[in-house]
Amino acid sequence: MRLLLLVVPSQDMIIMMMIFLFLIGSAVALQTNLCLEEEILLLPPVNFTIIVTGLSKVLLHWKPNPNQNPRIKCIKYNVRINTPDEDDYETPKTQSTRVNVLHGGFSASVQTVFHCDSSFFQSSWVSAELQAPPGAPGTSAVNLTCVTNILRGDVSLHCTWFVGKNAPEDTQYFLFYRFDIYTEECQEYKKDSWNRNIACWFPETAIDRKGRGQLAVHVNGSSKKIAIKPLDRLFDLHAIDQVNPPVNVTAKIEGNRLVIQWEKPVSNFPRKCFDYEVNIYNIRKDYSQILKIQGNSFSLVIDPTSKYSLKIRATVHFTCRKNGLWSEWSQFIYVGEDEPTHLTEWLLAVLMATACFFVFSLFFICRVCQLWTKLFPPIPAPNTQVKDLFLSNIYEKTRFGETEIEVISYLEDPGLDNLDDSVF
Ligand SMILES: *[C@@H]1O[C@H](CO)[C@@H](O)[C@H](O)[C@H]1NC(C)=O
Ligand SMILES: *[C@@H]1O[C@H](CO)[C@@H](O)[C@H](O)[C@H]1NC(C)=O
Ligand SMILES: *[C@@H]1O[C@H](CO)[C@@H](O)[C@H](O)[C@H]1NC(C)=O
């Protein structure tokens, strides 16, 4: 048997509902009235300022216009970034943080906006800007690249750049990075032949080990001759993170198969996240092939009479994060017959040939020397004054073994003081 329960609204409830409906109705009417007003006057925000709060980071802030009609609730702001890259967004707040390169200056505008049903009202714009930092064109560092890597549990950072083409010889560059709220200056620079810094190495940093977020890098400089323009770059961490190479790589030949095994790189990513590339080089046939592998081992049919060298590198698969860089290659591993290779034979031949050449050259040089002394024996310097002589013939007869050589010299310049220095 079923019991049907019927709820009959009491009189109190009906009155309450009516009051509620009335309230909603009047609120809608009020809003509609406001929206129907032809002129909703929105005033632009006041005191709009841009402040640099970190490397490549600015805070935009403004105040609501104090003369704004207080009947208009739910006012929002439209922020427009003009330089360096155009961007447009709305916010109910009166401030906004932006991460942007600042070496070319920064400018933005903001306006008050109000959405009402399907209508949209907006104020005029107010703008503010940061001037580009001073510096002569062509003096900033160029082609700045950075790579991160997990080293002994810390994230290391390595950056390189080139000297600007108009940077004077006495230019010195300085590198800073910012990750989140941490900013650090480089302590270990590499220098070029003019002693200018062209690379930097941070063995440990405050960078997130999972490779999330952005890294801001700033390279500025100084010179006694001209102002050096700074350079900013933002890097997506996943794009510059280089995983370590695979470890414990082993290879053996079983029958006619080459069996290779390895372990995943030292990394925060689990085993399933890695893709590998194996480079196998047949030393005897001078032939190499590259195989793409998922997993930590594989085997392939080979020629067991050849010697092979192989190396492996790793990268993180896109299912675990956006694609980054390949690791360095692992150390070479050698497997197979260790027969004397063509290379050693060839080296031996080259060595022999070189030795022969030397012996022959020495012999030849000796012969030439002997001949030379025979052809041009040392001439005794004349002791007599020869100033008055217009032409002098020096006959000299020398006897070397069987050969008789006659040397005839013509002294053409009567003004010569020192005959010892003249060359016949
Ligand atoms: C805007 O800045 C001026 C000068 O600093 C200040 O006097 C004024 O009170 C500010 N306005 C608001 C609404 O904060
Ligand atoms: C910087 O990179 C550009 C483009 O990749 C290249 O053309 C230029 O030669 C590089 N500059 C230097 C100094 O290597
Ligand atoms: C380089 O930038 C750093 C960090 O912004 C700053 O402290 C330093 O004074 C700047 N150096 C030069 C030479 O501009």
Side-chain angles (χ1 to χ4, degrees):
M1 197 178 155
R2 282 190 179 172
L3 197 85
L4 199 72
L5 204 76
L6 199 70
V7 181
V8 182
S10 69
Q11 214 170 351
D12 285 359
M13 272 177 89
I14 291 173
I15 292 171
M16 272 173 65
M17 275 168 74
M18 280 176 72
I19 291 173
F20 181 66
L21 282 177
F22 173 76
L23 281 176
I24 288 182
S26 51
V28 167
L30 198 77
Q31 186 80 353
T32 313
N33 284 346
L34 195 63
C35 289
L36 284 177
E37 276 174 29
E38 279 295 297
E39 291 294 316
I40 282 196
L41 190 64
L42 283 183
L43 299 172
V46 295
N47 293 8
F48 176 38
T49 51
I50 303 173
I51 308 167
V52 178
T53 53
L55 291 184
S56 302
K57 192 173 167 189
V58 286
L59 176 71
L60 317 181
H61 74 110
W62 57 91
K63 292 271 166 57
N65 195 303
N67 301 323
Q68 184 63 56
N69 180 353
R71 270 176 71 203
I72 306 172
K73 304 276 184 247
C74 302
I75 275 177
K76 288 188 180 170
Y77 302 94
N78 191 11
V79 183
R80 179 174 290 168
I81 311 296
N82 308 309
T83 335
D85 296 308
E86 284 184 15
D87 196 8
D88 218 311
Y89 56 97
E90 241 179 59
T91 172
K93 297 182 189 152
T94 55
Q95 62 177 46
S96 170
T97 296
R98 296 283 303 179
V99 173
N100 266 106
V101 297
L102 301 175
H103 60 225
F106 182 89
S107 76
S109 310
V110 61
Q111 65 175 180
T112 313
V113 294
F114 179 57
H115 295 266
C116 190
D117 297 341
S118 55
S119 322
F120 172 69
F121 301 91
Q122 54 191 346
S123 74
S124 58
W125 293 93
V126 284
S127 301
E129 83 175 302
L130 288 178
Q131 293 292 333
T139 54
S140 75
V142 290
N143 295 14
L144 172 69
T145 57
C146 294
V147 171
T148 59
N149 177 249
I150 292 190
L151 185 81
R152 295 187 296 270
D154 286 304
V155 178
S156 68
L157 174 67
H158 186 247
C159 295
T160 60
W161 60 92
F162 291 102
V163 170
K165 65 180 192 303
N166 299 333
E169 285 156 22
D170 75 334
T171 302
Q172 193 51 284
Y173 291 110
F174 308 99
L175 182 138
F176 301 78
Y177 83 86
R178 179 184 62 78
F179 177 75
D180 202 6
I181 56 167
Y182 305 98
T183 301
E184 254 190 282
E185 180 179 358
C186 181
Q187 304 296 330
E188 287 181 44
Y189 288 107
K190 190 182 141 206
K191 294 165 183 295
D192 72 359
S193 49
W194 297 105
N195 213 32
R196 299 175 293 197
N197 296 335
I198 49 161
C200 165
W201 161 243
F202 291 92
E204 52 193 69
T205 61
I207 295 170
D208 174 34
R209 289 170 51 108
K210 292 250 167 62
R212 288 174 301 210
Q214 271 194 323
L215 178 74
V217 179
H218 177 76
V219 180
N220 59 18
S222 65
S223 157
K224 289 202 176 74
K225 295 180 182 134
I226 43 177
I228 304 298
K229 228 176 152 42
L231 171 75
D232 289 327
R233 259 201 89 175
L234 291 167
F235 296 97
D236 286 329
L237 279 175
H238 70 82
I240 60 163
D241 179 40
Q242 186 174 45
V243 287
N244 290 301
V247 291
N248 295 345
V249 184
T250 57
K252 55 179 185 273
I253 292 177
E254 288 174 358
N256 64 346
R257 298 192 79 82
L258 173 61
V259 181
I260 309 172
Q261 286 181 319
W262 60 90
E263 284 166 31
K264 85 166 181 82
V266 175
S267 161
N268 283 330
F269 289 102
R271 206 177 126 113
K272 67 173 170 57
C273 283
F274 289 96
D275 281 345
Y276 300 94
E277 236 176 44
V278 184
N279 180 319
I280 302 173
Y281 175 59
N282 184 326
I283 294 169
R284 199 152 64 89
K285 292 184 180 153
D286 184 22
Y287 165 76
S288 75
Q289 62 190 121
I290 292 185
L291 304 161
K292 291 206 184 298
I293 314 279
Q294 284 179 304
N296 288 61
S297 66
F298 84 106
S299 74
L300 85 165
V301 176
I302 48 140
D303 164 20
T305 64
S306 290
K307 192 182 180 192
Y308 291 87
S309 77
L310 58 97
K311 55 184 180 176
I312 307 182
R313 61 181 186 170
T315 193
V316 177
H317 194 249
F318 70 85
T319 51
C320 293
R321 72 148 185 225
K322 284 196 217 162
N323 272 355
L325 305 170
W326 280 98
S327 72
E328 297 284 339
W329 289 101
S330 63
Q331 298 279 321
F332 271 113
I333 292 227
Y334 296 91
V335 278
E337 304 284 312
D338 203 357
E339 296 165 354
T341 60
H342 291 304
L343 188 70
T344 44
E345 284 165 21
W346 190 79
L347 262 176
L348 217 71
V350 168
L351 268 173
M352 294 277 286
T354 320
C356 286
F357 176 76
F358 265 106
V359 170
F360 181 76
S361 307
L362 233 100
F363 178 74
F364 185 74
I365 288 165
C366 287
R367 288 302 295 261
V368 168
C369 282
Q370 221 169 18
L371 199 67
W372 187 261
T373 11
K374 280 179 187 170
L375 271 173
F376 305 103
I379 300 152
N383 311 329
T384 49
Q385 277 289 335
V386 284
K387 241 182 172 170
D388 305 331
L389 288 172
F390 201 70
L391 180 72
S392 96
N393 292 348
I394 302 164
Y395 294 95
E396 213 172 305
K397 287 195 175 173
T398 21
R399 189 174 277 275
F400 284 108
E402 308 299 332
T403 332
E404 190 180 70
I405 301 163
E406 192 177 59
V407 179
I408 304 166
S409 301
Y410 293 97
L411 186 67
E412 286 184 324
D413 186 353
L416 269 179
D417 283 339
N418 193 346
L419 267 179
D420 295 58
D421 282 344
S422 61
V423 179
F424 292 100

